[in-house]
Amino acid sequence: MSDPRWSKSGDVASRDRSAASAYATDDARLALAAGARPRRFGAWYVAEHRLRVMWSYAQTIISTGFGEPLVYLYAMGVGLATLVDRNLDAGGVGYLVFVAPALLCSAGLTAAMIEFSYPVMVGYKWNPTFSGMHAGPIRPGQIVDGLVISVVIRLAATMVVYYAFMVLFGAVPSPTGWIAIPVAVLTGMAFGTLLMAYASTIREDTGQLAMVQRLVVLPLTLFSGTFFPLTQLPWFLQWIGWISPLWHGTELSRVATFGYAEPIWLTAVHVVVLVAMTAVGWLWSRRIAVRRLTA
Amino acid sequence: MIVAQGLVKRYGAFAAVDGISFEVAPGESFGLLGPNGAGKSTTMRMVGAVSSRSGGELKILGLDPDRHGPDIRSQLGVVPQADNLDTELRVRENLLVYGRYFGLPRRVVAERADELLSFAQLEDRAAAKVDALSGGMKRRLTIARALINDPRILLLDEPTTGLDPQARHILWDRLFRLKEQGKTLVLTTHYMDEAEQLCDRIVVVDKGSIMAEGTPAELIRRYSSREVLELRFGSDRNHEVAQALQGRGDRIEVLPDRILVYTADGEQELERVSEAGLHPITSLVRRSSLEDVFLRLTGRSLIE
């Protein structure tokens, strides 16, 4: 400022400039401080939002959460079992014990399917709430993470109730049976995150999700060793089980609930496949979220 | 607050924004005015730190949005063109969940939610479903939501598009209050009256570039006359009469349905037109508006 070469007007201009830059750094400091918490906890805020939305349809969640196990366990495990137990060798246990872990995993898959399809379509397209989150300090990946967290919580609650009914029906002879709860959650996530990734790519809704329900979920439910062992299928259909998260989850749950006899390596394969599918679906969804929201 | 220099956004070979430069000072109310497809919304998305730029420089609050998106966005309030309120939640809940995104404690969010509901004149609707609100109410709720983090800059993309006149005036009144409180506003609009009501300074944007910049009054002074005489001779005769009118006023503009004569004194010009034996079906003398500025700059009308 004391430099004699500065003209009077130059003096004013440079003072203006330095005032402006001081202002800018203050602004920047404030922004960086305010951005710190959302950077760290953004996914939890998204989960909080999702859980609040779920609470708005809690009646449905609770009634299906209690109704479904009651109806299915009774119909399959008690009703159908009277017929099956006379004819089928289900690994040395009654049909109820055989089918209950499959029903549990299937319920996990169905619930995950609902929570990962409709909210994703809403969030990107029908009423772009994801854009709203992203207009705030939430990053696209955090939106996906938040969805995953909320669905894990929702599935865990539903699976605990389902498992309680299994115990009441006497379908869990083994003390390690509770492990079926996290396994069923994982089964839901393995299928659900892949479905989320697919749903994230849908730009024009022409009923693709209904097709997924009919052409993917239904065959998976029928041919994943759910109601009868996979080995009962002709060899050329057995591959369905190997790519089906439901088969891996079901077999794993059976090991937990009644000590289903299978080689240890196969049990390891179930875990690896389910974790891998979850990871692929999750990461893929994150990538699509970045691409779709930051275009 | 915002410094943009040579800002470019390309989608493939198409440049939606083609080298836009502007600055926004604290407390200023700044408008991007232009027709649909001019690149306003794309510019807003870049300023909102949700869309990365293809070229040029952009600093918001002294930070680069490519590196500090979440930090910048924590200081912004965004009102998007289409409401995206969560229709599965109640009115007040929308504010609560949104406030949490900024990492604000629940107690603070709850207090602000109540204040903002009263600011948005929605206190008695707190427990209503979002879908039960009118269009104007939804817009006000969206603005309340954008204010939940007490933002430094409020970005509004076409804030009153699709609202009826009464709802627009209520909204303008709310926005004007924010302006009085010293909030920095950046808004896009294709409504002249909106820009004139709310903006201290405007850039006129067309085809991704800035055509002109200034206060509404400056722009009118620079690119238009004080008054405009609108003459309707019927769509069949307009063109023919236009020939006879050549040379009148500062200049004339022939639109499909009417002829505009730009002049300092509209009444006097109208008299001269009558003296010349030309009798319009209807005539109207009005003050120049930004619509005229836009017409002059682009040769097109704003709402097509």
Side-chain angles (χ1 to χ4, degrees):
Chain A
M1 283 300 156
S2 57
D3 190 327
R5 278 173 303 177
W6 284 104
S7 70
K8 207 175 167 76
S9 61
D11 236 38
V12 173
S14 73
R15 214 178 299 131
D16 273 354
R17 252 198 311 279
S18 66
S21 70
Y23 198 85
T25 50
D26 265 358
D27 282 343
R29 250 199 309 279
L30 270 171
L32 292 172
R37 280 183 72 84
R39 271 179 186 278
R40 198 171 316 146
F41 303 115
W44 293 99
Y45 302 145
V46 175
E48 217 177 288
H49 182 165
R50 283 305 312 162
L51 290 170
R52 196 185 265 271
V53 171
M54 287 176 194
W55 188 247
S56 74
Y57 55 84
Q59 271 185 322
T60 317
I61 293 180
I62 291 169
S63 58
T64 55
F66 282 83
E68 208 182 293
L70 195 62
V71 172
Y72 273 90
L73 286 171
Y74 185 78
M76 303 283 170
V78 182
L80 191 61
T82 54
L83 216 69
V84 176
D85 279 341
R86 277 181 244 149
N87 299 302
L88 181 78
D89 173 26
V93 292
Y95 189 62
L96 171 66
V97 172
F98 174 80
V99 83
L103 294 174
L104 176 77
C105 288
S106 174
L109 189 139
T110 312
M113 185 183 78
I114 293 164
E115 300 297 349
F116 276 123
S117 52
Y118 178 73
V120 171
M121 292 301 292
V122 171
Y124 282 118
K125 180 145 178 80
W126 293 335
N127 175 32
T129 47
F130 291 172
S131 303
M133 299 173 187
H134 186 224
I138 307 298
R139 282 171 288 164
Q142 290 177 317
I143 296 173
V144 172
D145 297 352
L147 274 180
V148 168
I149 294 168
S150 65
V151 180
V152 166
I153 292 171
R154 188 253 198 257
L155 284 188
T158 311
M159 295 302 98
V160 165
V161 172
Y162 212 114
Y163 183 77
F165 275 101
M166 283 166 60
V167 172
L168 282 178
F169 273 81
V172 190
S174 163
T176 59
W178 62 271
I179 294 171
I181 296 171
V183 169
V185 173
L186 185 60
T187 307
M189 299 315 288
F191 179 77
T193 55
L194 287 169
L195 181 66
M196 164 166 62
Y198 173 65
S200 309
T201 65
I202 298 175
R203 283 173 192 268
E204 287 306 319
D205 174 31
T206 53
Q208 294 98 325
L209 290 172
M211 293 300 272
V212 168
Q213 158 74 23
R214 271 172 224 141
L215 297 180
V216 181
V217 177
L218 192 63
L220 282 190
T221 311
L222 293 175
F223 302 128
S224 291
T226 323
F227 303 110
F228 50 86
L230 196 62
T231 48
Q232 300 281 321
L233 279 177
W235 61 269
F236 58 86
L237 280 183
Q238 291 193 9
W239 60 271
I240 296 179
W242 285 91
I243 62 159
S244 163
L246 187 54
W247 181 66
H248 293 285
T250 297
E251 298 290 280
L252 203 51
S253 302
R254 283 180 178 142
V255 174
T257 59
F258 66 90
Y260 185 61
E262 66 171 18
I264 184 81
W265 65 265
L266 189 54
T267 305
V269 166
H270 296 324
V271 176
V272 169
V273 169
L274 291 175
V275 170
M277 281 181 168
T278 305
V280 168
W282 191 339
L283 293 175
W284 187 22
S285 300
R286 284 177 124 250
R287 285 185 64 154
I288 297 165
V290 172
R291 211 186 317 143
R292 214 166 157 175
L293 291 173
T294 64
Chain B
M1 304 288 263
I2 302 170
V3 181
Q5 257 160 10
L7 201 55
V8 175
K9 179 75 183 186
R10 265 184 232 100
Y11 294 103
F14 170 68
V17 174
D18 196 5
I20 281 184
S21 303
F22 61 87
E23 288 188 25
V24 180
E28 193 179 17
S29 179
F30 178 80
L32 292 153
L33 178 72
N36 292 329
K40 298 177 307 234
S41 294
T42 310
T43 305
M44 280 300 244
R45 283 174 52 75
M46 289 191 278
V47 170
V50 295
S51 174
S52 54
R53 61 190 183 271
S54 315
E57 282 303 311
L58 181 60
K59 282 264 161 61
I60 298 140
L61 299 165
L63 297 170
D64 182 340
D66 280 351
R67 285 190 50 219
H68 293 287
D71 310 302
I72 292 168
R73 297 199 300 271
S74 75
Q75 302 293 294
L76 302 180
V78 179
V79 178
Q81 202 167 345
D83 290 319
N84 56 9
L85 298 160
D86 195 323
T87 52
E88 290 174 294
L89 296 176
R90 308 268 162 175
V91 166
R92 187 167 178 271
E93 285 182 307
N94 262 279
L95 301 180
L96 299 182
V97 296
Y98 209 78
R100 292 287 290 156
Y101 286 143
F102 297 87
L104 301 169
R106 282 189 183 76
R107 188 180 44 77
V108 173
V109 176
E111 274 170 24
R112 285 193 193 167
D114 292 331
E115 284 166 23
L116 287 168
L117 281 176
S118 106
F119 172 78
Q121 296 162 314
L122 291 169
E123 305 104 310
D124 51 340
R125 303 290 179 134
K129 288 193 166 177
V130 169
D131 277 331
L133 301 183
S134 70
M137 289 176 177
K138 281 185 191 167
R139 233 57 280 258
R140 278 171 4 232
L141 180 57
T142 305
I143 290 172
R145 190 182 72 170
L147 292 169
I148 195 84
N149 60 326
D150 193 15
R152 307 288 310 279
I153 307 172
L154 191 61
L155 303 178
L156 304 127
D157 197 358
E158 306 270 354
T160 66
T161 297
L163 298 185
D164 61 59
Q166 197 199 352
R168 295 180 74 198
H169 280 281
I170 297 175
L171 211 66
W172 283 343
D173 164 60
R174 296 292 103 180
L175 293 175
F176 200 80
R177 270 162 213 253
L178 294 173
K179 184 163 134 55
E180 283 177 332
Q181 290 165 16
K183 276 262 186 282
T184 306
L185 305 185
V186 178
L187 62 104
T188 73
T189 182
H190 59 255
Y191 292 126
M192 302 297 128
D193 44 355
E194 186 156 282
E196 286 178 358
Q197 290 251 1
L198 293 175
C199 299
D200 303 325
R201 198 157 57 86
I202 291 167
V203 292
V204 179
V205 189
D206 190 37
K207 293 177 182 155
S209 306
I210 292 178
M211 312 290 293
E213 179 180 346
T215 66
E218 269 170 19
L219 288 172
I220 291 168
R221 212 163 38 238
R222 208 177 319 147
Y223 296 102
S224 191
S225 53
R226 203 170 68 87
E227 291 188 343
V228 184
L229 171 62
E230 293 198 5
L231 301 169
R232 287 169 199 262
F233 292 92
S235 26
D236 305 333
R237 284 194 62 212
N238 274 346
H239 226 79
E240 178 191 327
V241 176
Q243 304 295 327
L245 287 173
Q246 281 305 342
R248 301 219 169 256
D250 302 337
R251 70 192 176 88
I252 69 164
E253 195 80 56
V254 186
L255 300 179
D257 61 332
R258 59 194 195 275
I259 300 169
L260 307 180
V261 182
Y262 290 92
T263 174
D265 187 339
E267 292 293 347
Q268 199 181 28
E269 196 61 47
L270 180 59
E271 265 173 48
R272 282 194 210 128
V273 169
S274 305
E275 282 163 17
L278 297 166
H279 301 289
I281 302 167
T282 62
S283 62
L284 166 75
V285 174
R286 59 169 174 82
R287 291 184 50 194
S288 255
S289 75
L290 286 171
E291 175 88 44
D292 302 298
V293 171
F294 190 79
L295 196 61
R296 171 73 186 277
L297 287 170
T298 68
R300 288 181 297 125
S301 116
L302 259 168
I303 303 164
E304 292 177 318

